[in-house]
């Protein structure tokens, strides 16, 4: 793997030369004077003095060569609507939306809060903000009013854009009542709200003067051509609040030029997506994956991007593969949770459609267990690349980088540090580097590469104290994840540092125990949490979903099955990793983006309040946890 090692090393040892080359992948209105200004550690400014614009790079620069190519395909299995927009049509829609914002007084640096379902207008709104230099803050549609209010007060938006309702699983989720309540609770509510009326919420009532109809505004701005506002590279592009935070929300602030360069380079080197091809990312625009790899990166690369409103198993478990086949998707991006959901379905759906166009499937969002990684790679007969990154970084930290060198894929690992990241596995005790196969904290020596967060919105001190003060002897960025590097240089993420279970002085990652539980042939999915124990400090408890429910129909069968699972863990980890209990449930508590609510499960197991549950997919899942614990 010499080619990639040389590439990665050069990105660190010849940093400015390396990133100057990558910067040539985007358009600059004004050339930058300095590649990296790291005069005030840990803050880094990339491509200082340069002027560019995300919307220009995503749309305008492609008009001459590929104006008639599809840029955005919107598919909703919830409403049955499917519509595509060429780059030229997308330009017109975004220009109209930008014109609306300008008419309503939105200018460079103003914040616009977007609280939208997965509809095309949400993409128009994001790109329109980028076009005029406004800072968008997308809040996941469906967040409770109180959570939305705290984000409003932190960002203090001049304007808000929403819809009457979203749809999930055939069920309407009214947004407007949540918006009305959030604005009532907020100390700094925006003066005006643009509403996309989909006709889903029949009880929708606009508030006079404050609420404006998107369709009416669009019609009034039908012939408007809104020029691009050129931004200095370090000007903020957006704020994105990290999920699962408690207290005052933490707004990840992203720049403009560094982000554009990082995304363009990632499409070339990591995702191997080419202009004219199609990318399908199954995330939501409310999360960082949606920002980077539904909206900005594919369009910057001149690709067609698919925006999907719906579930992976509705109308059936073949819907994603049908979309891949019909749209000749070459690059797909999903999550380990989604893979595990599909693992429980009829495997025939994986071979029902022609997937010959598909080059790679990428998975990220949480640790990918080895059995699931192996299963989906073999079922699809395609390269499945696990990769690891965070809201804070905006693009991958660990990945195979097949655009540079075809690396052997090892199941259950996100492979190697990506170019630009000086990644270390550090001992928690003294910040020294861990040996191969020794657990440590995954850390990055600054400066963080282009595209990563530049600060916490409105709070530089919080940025430093949160991310760069984990070690007293070194100023390094902490990912707050445990990891291991094996003797071949492959990295494994073991879970959050606060998800590590300390059993009688032995540190065990929840990931390790979950993989051991999943080694039992009848376990489809599992969540392991550490629960306080007077004798051993903590003990792991497992909550598992079985493939064949007949094997746990009676109390005696259930007890026997629990014993079998524990024996499987003994074989994988030894008795130290054995859960104190294995509870069987039919579903696990997850957010609507598919992340397990481990902290809420742990809280219930310890008799505590499960906390903020505004993003939970199905409240019945937590009731099952409660019932299992009582039973």
């Amino acid at each position: 793997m010499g080619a990639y090692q040389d590439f990665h090393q050069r990105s660190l040892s010849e940093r400015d030369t390396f990133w100057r080359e990558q910067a040539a992948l985007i358009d600059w209105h004004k050339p930058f004077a300095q590649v990296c200004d790291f005069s005030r550690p840990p803050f880094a400014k990339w491509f200082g003095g340069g002027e560019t614009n995300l919307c220009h790079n995503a749309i305008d620069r492609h008009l001459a060569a590929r104006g008639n190519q599809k840029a955005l395909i919107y598919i909703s299995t919830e409403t049955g609507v499917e519509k595509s927009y060429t780059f030229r049509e997308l330009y017109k829609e975004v220009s109209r939306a930008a014109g609306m914002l300008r008419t309503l007084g939105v200018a460079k640096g103003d914040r616009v809060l977007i609280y939208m379902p997965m509809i095309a207008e949400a993409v128009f709104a994001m790109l329109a903000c980028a076009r005029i230099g406004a800072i968008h803050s997308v809040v996941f549609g469906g967040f409770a009013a109180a959570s939305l209010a705290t984000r409003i007060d932190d960002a203090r938006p001049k304007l808000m854009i929403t819809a009457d309702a979203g749809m999930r699983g055939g069920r309407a989720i009214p947004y407007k009542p949540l918006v009305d309540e959030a604005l009532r609770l907020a100390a700094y509510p925006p003066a005006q709200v643009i509403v996309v009326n989909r006709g889903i919420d029949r009880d929708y009532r606009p508030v006079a003067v404050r609420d404006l109809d998107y369709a009416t505004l669009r019609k009034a701005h039908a012939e408007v051509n809104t020029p691009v506002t050129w931004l200095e590279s370090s000007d903020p592009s957006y704020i994105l609040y990290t999920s699962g935070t408690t207290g005052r929300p933490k707004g990840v602030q992203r720049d403009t030029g560094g982000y554009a360069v990082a995304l363009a380079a990632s499409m070339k080197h990591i995702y191997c997506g080419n202009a004219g091809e199609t990318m399908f990312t199954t995330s939501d625009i409310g999360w960082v994956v949606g920002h980077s790899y539904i909206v900005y990166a594919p369009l910057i690369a001149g690709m067609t991007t698919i925006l999907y409103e719906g579930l992976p198993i509705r109308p059936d478990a073949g819907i994603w593969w049908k979309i891949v086949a019909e749209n000749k998707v070459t690059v797909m991006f999903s999550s380990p949770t989604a893979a595990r959901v599909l693992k429980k379905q009829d495997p025939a759906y994986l071979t029902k459609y022609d997937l010959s166009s598909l080059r790679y499937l990428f998975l990220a969002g949480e640790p990918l267990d080895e059995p699931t990684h192996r299963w989906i790679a073999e079922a699809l007969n395609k390269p499945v690349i696990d990769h690891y990154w965070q809201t804070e970084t905006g693009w991958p930290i660990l990945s195979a980088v097949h655009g540079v060198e075809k690396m052997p894929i090892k199941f259950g690992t996100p492979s190697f540090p990506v170019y630009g990241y000086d990644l270390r596995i550090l001992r928690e005790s003294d910040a020294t580097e861990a040996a191969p196969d020794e657990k440590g904290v995954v850390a990055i020596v600054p400066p963080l590469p282009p595209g990563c967060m530049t600060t916490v919105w409105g709070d530089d001190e919080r940025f430093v104290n949160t991310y760069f003060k984990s070690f007293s002897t070194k100023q390094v960025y902490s990912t707050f994840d445990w990891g291991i590097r094996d003797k071949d240089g492959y990295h494994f993420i073991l879970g959050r540092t606060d998800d590590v279970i300390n059993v009688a002085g032995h540190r065990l990652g929840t990931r390790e125990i979950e993989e051991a539980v999943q080694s039992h042939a009848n376990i489809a999915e599992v969540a392991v949490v550490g629960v306080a124990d007077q004798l051993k400090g903590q003990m792991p408890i497992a909550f598992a979903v079985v493939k064949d429910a007949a094997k746990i129909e009676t109390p005696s069968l259930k007890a026997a099955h629990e014993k079998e699972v524990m024996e499987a863990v003994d074989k994988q980890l030894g008795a130290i990793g054995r859960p104190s209990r294995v509870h069987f449930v039919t579903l696990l508590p997850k957010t609507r983006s598919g992340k397990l609510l481990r902290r809420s499960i742990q809280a219930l197991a310890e008799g505590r309040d499960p906390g903020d549950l505004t993003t939970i997919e199905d409240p019945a899942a937590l009731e099952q946890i409660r019932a299992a614990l009582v039973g």
Side-chain angles (χ1 to χ4, degrees), residues 574-621:
I576 189 66
R578 184 192 303 158
S580 61
R581 286 298 312 272
V582 179
H583 295 291
F584 299 109
V585 293
T586 60
L587 72 166
L588 295 171
K590 296 174 188 172
T591 67
R592 286 186 287 273
S593 68
K595 290 203 173 188
L596 277 168
L597 290 165
R598 283 189 178 83
R599 289 179 189 152
S600 297
I601 298 171
Q602 182 188 48
L604 285 179
E606 294 183 342
R608 295 183 285 107
D609 184 339
D612 182 8
L613 300 174
T614 53
T615 63
I616 193 168
E617 168 72 27
D618 189 344

Side-chain angles (χ1 to χ4, degrees), residues 6-16 18-19 418-424 445 447:
D6 291 346
F7 191 77
H8 180 264
Q9 182 55 42
R10 199 166 72 83
S11 75
L12 303 181
S13 62
E14 302 174 34
R15 184 180 65 209
D16 284 13
F18 179 89
W19 285 110
V418 169
Y419 52 89
Y421 289 97
D422 189 356
L423 187 138
R424 312 290 174 89
V445 177

Side-chain angles (χ1 to χ4, degrees), residues 294-366:
I294 295 176
V295 180
Y296 289 114
L299 294 175
I300 287 171
M303 298 182 75
T304 303
T305 186
I306 294 176
L307 181 76
Y308 176 67
E309 182 184 41
L311 300 175
I313 54 173
R314 190 173 182 271
D316 59 49
I319 182 59
W320 283 358
W321 314 116
K322 182 173 184 282
I323 290 170
V324 168
E326 290 181 348
N327 295 283
K328 300 290 187 289
V329 170
T330 56
V331 182
M332 187 174 175
F333 186 158
S334 193
S335 69
T337 292
R340 287 189 281 266
V341 167
L342 294 172
K343 192 177 177 182
K344 292 186 279 187
Q345 310 302 312
D346 185 345
Y349 285 115
L350 293 167
T351 54
K352 183 177 180 180
Y353 298 97
D354 178 8
L355 304 183
S356 57
S357 66
L358 188 63
R359 191 180 300 129
Y360 293 108
L361 170 63
F362 289 84
L363 298 176
E366 61 190 273

Side-chain angles (χ1 to χ4, degrees), residues 260-301:
V261 171
L263 295 184
S266 74
M267 291 308 297
K268 178 180 180 181
H269 302 309
I270 300 172
Y271 297 98
C272 304
N274 303 309
E277 297 177 344
T278 302
M279 184 168 186
F280 177 25
T281 299
T282 68
S283 184
D284 188 287
I285 58 158
W287 312 120
V288 69
V289 172
H291 280 56
S292 293
Y293 294 105
I294 295 176
V295 180
Y296 289 114
L299 294 175
I300 287 171

Side-chain angles (χ1 to χ4, degrees), residues 106-123:
V106 177
K108 176 185 172 182
D110 288 336
R111 276 78 64 207
V112 174
L113 194 139
I114 299 171
Y115 183 73
M116 298 275 274
M118 290 286 284
I119 55 177
E121 289 84 356
V123 176

Side-chain angles (χ1 to χ4, degrees), residues 213-290:
D213 181 62
Y214 185 97
T216 302
L217 287 170
R218 179 184 178 276
K219 188 175 180 181
H221 294 81
E223 302 307 319
V224 169
N225 287 305
T226 308
V228 161
T229 298
W230 299 106
L231 304 178
E232 201 278 333
S233 181
S234 296
D235 284 339
S237 57
Y238 67 76
I239 307 164
L240 183 59
Y241 291 94
T242 52
S243 58
T245 55
T246 56
R248 187 163 58 92
K250 187 170 57 195
V252 167
Q253 179 177 314
R254 196 87 65 209
D255 71 358
T256 297
Y259 187 51
V261 171
L263 295 184
S266 74
M267 291 308 297
K268 178 180 180 181
H269 302 309
I270 300 172
Y271 297 98
C272 304
N274 303 309
E277 297 177 344
T278 302
M279 184 168 186
F280 177 25
T281 299
T282 68
S283 184
D284 188 287
I285 58 158
W287 312 120
V288 69
V289 172

